[in-house]
Amino acid sequence: FSYLASKMIVLGMITIGQSVVLVTIATQRQNGPGNGLILGSGSLEIIAVVALCGLGALNIGLLISAVSRTSDHAIVALPIVLFVQFMLAGVIFPISGLGVQQLSWFVTAKWGFTAVAGTADFWYLGGCDWSAECDAAWQPDSANWFTATGMIVMLAAAMFTAAWWAISRSDPARLLSRPRWADRPADRHKRQISHRSAAAIAMNDLPRPTPGT
């Protein structure tokens, strides 16, 4: 836990700083939203949402690192995860199919865009009043904003917990301190078979008496 916490503190501060710089540069010439839904400042709300999404992505990276045996496996998994996040965010095409819509609930990018869309009034900017392809959660409503940010926090916490569980299972100190009686039945069965095989090999290697002796 201390290892993950140290990663979150250091990399989290860097992520928050990058979010401030990114949103400031992106909205400087666009005259970003003046009034926010919750915090009073639209720019501050966007910074908060982008920072939360960045922390969620950080937890996803920690989970991938925890479950990957080598760095090559992690490098292969990262583009796949990014592609899924990009496709299920609901920006490129509407997510309305059965199963796909439920799968998008576990995508941080979807809830990040939902929160930012409410703050920036994407419902009006995107012409959602006369378009059926917009998600109803994109409407500028405080309940939608709280739901989106809450889902980002829950997904980030779930990823952090899963990463901690994966690391704790492979901790050498934990494996060495585990008592023998805590072995799984399958492990005990394999150990018994190996012992019997070793005994059989030893018996075959013994010199056999010749007839008449």
Side-chain angles (χ1 to χ4, degrees), residues 26-34 43:
T27 59
Q28 185 175 9
R29 298 182 58 184
Q30 303 296 329
N31 295 326
S43 299

Side-chain angles (χ1 to χ4, degrees), residues 26-152:
T27 59
Q28 185 175 9
R29 298 182 58 184
Q30 303 296 329
N31 295 326
N35 297 326
L37 298 174
I38 304 298
L39 303 179
S41 172
S43 299
L44 185 59
E45 282 189 6
I46 295 178
I47 291 174
V49 173
V50 172
L52 286 176
C53 290
L55 295 176
L58 174 60
N59 284 285
I60 293 175
L62 292 175
L63 176 59
I64 294 175
S65 177
V67 299
S68 299
R69 294 187 177 181
T70 63
S71 59
D72 293 336
H73 293 168
I75 293 174
V76 172
L78 278 175
I80 299 175
V81 174
L82 291 176
F83 180 78
V84 172
Q85 293 275 337
F86 187 69
M87 296 301 294
L88 296 181
V91 181
I92 301 177
F93 56 87
I95 306 298
S96 58
L98 182 62
V100 180
Q101 185 176 11
Q102 286 72 25
L103 183 62
S104 67
W105 295 347
F106 301 94
V107 174
T108 306
K110 166 186 170 57
W111 300 110
F113 181 79
T114 298
V116 173
T119 299
D121 198 4
F122 183 81
W123 190 265
Y124 171 76
L125 297 176
C128 294
D129 290 331
W130 57 83
S131 175
E133 296 182 354
C134 293
D135 193 341
W138 296 350
Q139 297 183 15
D141 184 73
S142 59
N144 294 335
W145 194 89
F146 274 120
T147 300
T149 53
M151 286 298 298
I152 296 173

Side-chain angles (χ1 to χ4, degrees), residues 170-188:
S170 59
D171 186 8
R174 179 178 179 272
L175 295 176
L176 292 175
S177 62
R178 187 177 65 177
R180 295 293 297 272
W181 56 264
D183 293 343
R184 295 176 301 178
D187 296 335
R188 292 196 298 267

